């Protein structure tokens, strides 16, 4: 930027020595420079400055300087773009500035190198007191877009919102708009993937139909050509036979007529001869006439007695020659008569080809066969124990596949198929067994256990027949449903699974069952929170005098004792100690829960191994670690029991809510007074296997368990 009175920015001339002069300098305009240092001193100063620059700027820049490449500037100098418009201003202003400073005699034709060395000398010798910068005017960088105009659907700068045409438009932060656009793209991609799959399936079906039509018409063309060639050969054979027959009959008739004509001629000649002889006799003498007349009379009598055939033996009319084309007509009819097809070949079941109520069956056929339709028959696989025939069902289709619906889930069906055309049905195919997908499992929400790192999920199969495996699908609660499953655990062989999760999250859990037919539909969802340790009371361990609330977190012993016969010893249910155990997730780490108690209540809380003797009191053996409270004569007694021993500890403030911290990593069990954040006692336990919370009531009352909660700060230090 141009300074007033030709002053260089950042330069204080009042502090400069009187004999030292400053000039506007541009080190990169190599022409028209003022020679401010005599020529003889230039080389010496250049060597001094170059030695100092080598120390400051490094070997790389020194090498460039020695090669004559002016590709660097001394510290504090900034480059100016020679192409910018300031160049003209500098060239025009240097003369005026030089004239103001009294150096108009020097001129503007000095060498660039002398002017550069003058600056280096000033900078190197007096850089602590004086700095000379050439600061070019820089263009303002365009401010990046930081908001998104919803109305115009384009990124804009925030300043445009106040002064531009976007003033009345709705805007949103750019990051939020980006996330929204990504979500929309993901949703559209999901829909597009579904559409692609549908179109691919449809294209595959069209391709199958196209190939089938092409093969059928090809076979018909071959069939027509074969039959027409056969008809032409038959007609040619019949033509030859008829020509030979006509020639033979012609020859026979002509020969008969010719023979009859010859015989007639001979008789005619004889008659003429007799007539001539008789006429000659009439001119003879009477004596000679009489002699010859007797002989002539005998001869004439014999001739006249000879029968002359004057009937034509062969008529000239043609006989009606009837041609027998029955065999040709039969051949013509056989053109449209095709053979019955061969038996189809039914394919094995393809993976994921079934649902809980339908299955897709496919088969193939020999390429030379022409088929008008197929009859697909099926029935459930017969159970030998039932001893009853299953009903059969039949459907008619034109394709080589069929989706059969209204079936039972997780059930085997046997299928067979017959091909048909106008000639008749084919033999039946071999029978193939297909299986429908299972029914959705049923998650046992009351038996879900969790902690900050994992969750233990249980479910019922929901199927009478066994399945191959199960898959657990997890979706974080804040994940949009359109984005689908975030994680899947596959190949689970049993109806329970321990799943690793992230702490302090909320998950939606689904379970699918799988068999050879494919996966079942999703189960009903279950919600899992990984905030603290979450468990329910185990009803199978509950003493008969105790009652567990519906939510599974409160245990009650009523005022009136329930009269029952003496309970038999059990490995799962408490029979002597009126207690119940909780189902803690089998995960090592730190688990915390709280128990709300009454100050005047006799209770015992703690942990125990699963195989703790159910006929003994809690804390009376090496399988349990407990805190017991008894109240008598207005006195509170607290004991921390393990194997019937307790330390001598006095508790002055009776807790109303007891916090229990189970630390597997450090093998410790700690108790706290939650209301006053007081540590009560810590067991050092040998936890060689997993333990479970346990609760006991020696007198009527109730205990309320709080779990699935964050660990308080005062607990984290223990």
């Amino acid at each position: 930027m141009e300074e007033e009175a030709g002053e260089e920015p950042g330069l204080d001339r009042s502090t400069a020595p009187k004999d030292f002069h400053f000039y506007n300098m541009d080190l990169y305009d190599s022409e028209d420079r003022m020679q401010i240092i005599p020529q003889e001193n230039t080389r010496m100063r250049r060597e001094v400055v170059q030695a100092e620059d080598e120390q400051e700027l490094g070997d790389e820049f020194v090498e460039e300087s020695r090669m004559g490449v002016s590709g660097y500037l001394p510290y504090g100098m900034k480059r100016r773009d020679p192409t910018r418009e300031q160049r003209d201003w500098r060239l025009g202003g240097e003369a005026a500035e030089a004239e103001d400073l009294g150096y108009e005699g020097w001129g503007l034709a000095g060498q660039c190198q002398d002017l550069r060395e003058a600056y280096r000398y000033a900078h190197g010798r007096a850089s602590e007191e004086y700095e000379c910068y050439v600061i070019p005017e820089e263009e303002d960088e365009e401010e990046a877009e930081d908001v998104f105009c919803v109305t115009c659907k384009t990124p804009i700068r925030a300043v445009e919102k106040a002064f531009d045409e976007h003033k009345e438009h709705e805007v949103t932060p750019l990051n939020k708009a980006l996330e929204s656009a990504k979500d929309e793209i993901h949703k559209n991609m999901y829909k597009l993937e579904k559409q692609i799959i549908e179109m691919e399936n449809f294209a595959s079906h069209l391709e199958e139909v196209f190939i089938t039509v092409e093969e059928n018409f090809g076979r018909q063309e071959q069939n027509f050509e074969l039959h027409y060639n056969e008809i032409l050969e038959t007609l040619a054979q019949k033509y030859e036979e008829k020509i030979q027959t006509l020639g033979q009959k012609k020859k026979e008739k002509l020969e008969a007529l010719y023979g009859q004509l010859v015989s007639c001629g001979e008789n005619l000649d004889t008659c003429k001869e007799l007539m001539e002889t008789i006429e000659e006799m009439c001119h003879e003498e009477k004596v000679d006439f009489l002699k010859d007349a007797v002989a002539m009379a005998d001869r004439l009598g014999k001739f006249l007695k000879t029968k002359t055939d004057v009937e034509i033996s062969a008529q000239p009319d043609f006989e009606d020659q009837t041609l027998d084309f029955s065999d040709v007509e039969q051949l013509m009819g056989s053109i449209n008569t095709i053979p019955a097809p061969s038996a189809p070949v039914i394919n094995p079941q393809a993976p994921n080809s079934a649902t809980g109520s339908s299955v897709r069956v496919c088969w193939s056929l020999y390429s030379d066969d022409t088929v008008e339709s197929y009859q697909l028959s099926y029935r459930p696989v017969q159970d030998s124990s039932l001893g009853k025939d299953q009903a059969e069902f039949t459907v008619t289709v034109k394709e080589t596949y069929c989706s059969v619906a209204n079936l039972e889930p997780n059930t085997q069906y046997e299928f067979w198929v017959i091909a048909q055309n106008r000639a008749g049905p084919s033999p039946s195919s071999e029978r193939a067994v297909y299986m429908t997908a299972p029914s959705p499992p049923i998650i046992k929400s009351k038996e879900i256990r969790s902690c900050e790192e994992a969750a233990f999920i249980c479910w019922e199969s929901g199927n009478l027949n066994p399945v191959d495996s199960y898959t657990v699908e997890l979706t974080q609660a804040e994940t949009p449903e359109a984005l689908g499953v975030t994680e899947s655990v596959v190949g689970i062989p049993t109806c329970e699974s321990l799943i690793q999760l992230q702490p302090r999250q909320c998950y939606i859990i689904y379970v699918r069952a799988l068999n050879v037919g494919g996966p079942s539909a999703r189960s009903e969802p279950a919600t899992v929170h990984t905030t603290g340790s979450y468990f329910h009371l185990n009803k199978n361990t509950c003493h008969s005098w105790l009652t567990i609330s519906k939510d599974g977190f409160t245990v009650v012993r009523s005022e009136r004792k329930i009269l029952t016969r003496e309970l038999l010893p059990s490995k799962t249910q408490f029979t002597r100690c009126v207690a119940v155990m909780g189902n803690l997730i089998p995960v090592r780490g730190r688990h915390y829960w709280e128990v709300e108690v009454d100050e005047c209540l006799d209770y015992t809380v703690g942990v125990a191994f699963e195989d703790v003797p159910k006929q003994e009191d809690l804390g009376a053996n090496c399988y349990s670690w407990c805190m017991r409270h008894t109240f008598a004569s207005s006195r509170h007694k607290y004991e921390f029991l393990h194997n019937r021993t307790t330390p001598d500890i006095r508790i002055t403030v009776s807790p109303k809510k007891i916090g229990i911290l189970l630390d597997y990593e450090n093998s410790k069990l700690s108790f706290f007074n939650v209301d006053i954040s007081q540590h009560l006692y810590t067991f050092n336990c040998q936890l060689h296997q997993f333990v479970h919370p346990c609760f006991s009531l020696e007198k009527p009352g109730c205990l309320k368990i709080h779990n699935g909660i964050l660990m308080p700060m005062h607990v984290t230090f223990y």
Side-chain angles (χ1 to χ4, degrees), residues 106 307 320 473-474 563 596 717:
W106 289 71
K307 186 177 180 181
D320 185 10
E473 299 177 351
L474 300 90
L563 298 177
E596 190 174 335
F717 298 109

Side-chain angles (χ1 to χ4, degrees), residues 599 603 629 636 638 651-657 673 675 678:
E599 296 179 358
Y603 58 85
H629 169 259
H636 298 275
Y638 293 92
I651 297 177
T652 57
V653 179
S654 298
K656 296 181 180 179
K657 184 181 289 186
N673 186 336
D675 294 332
Q678 180 186 20

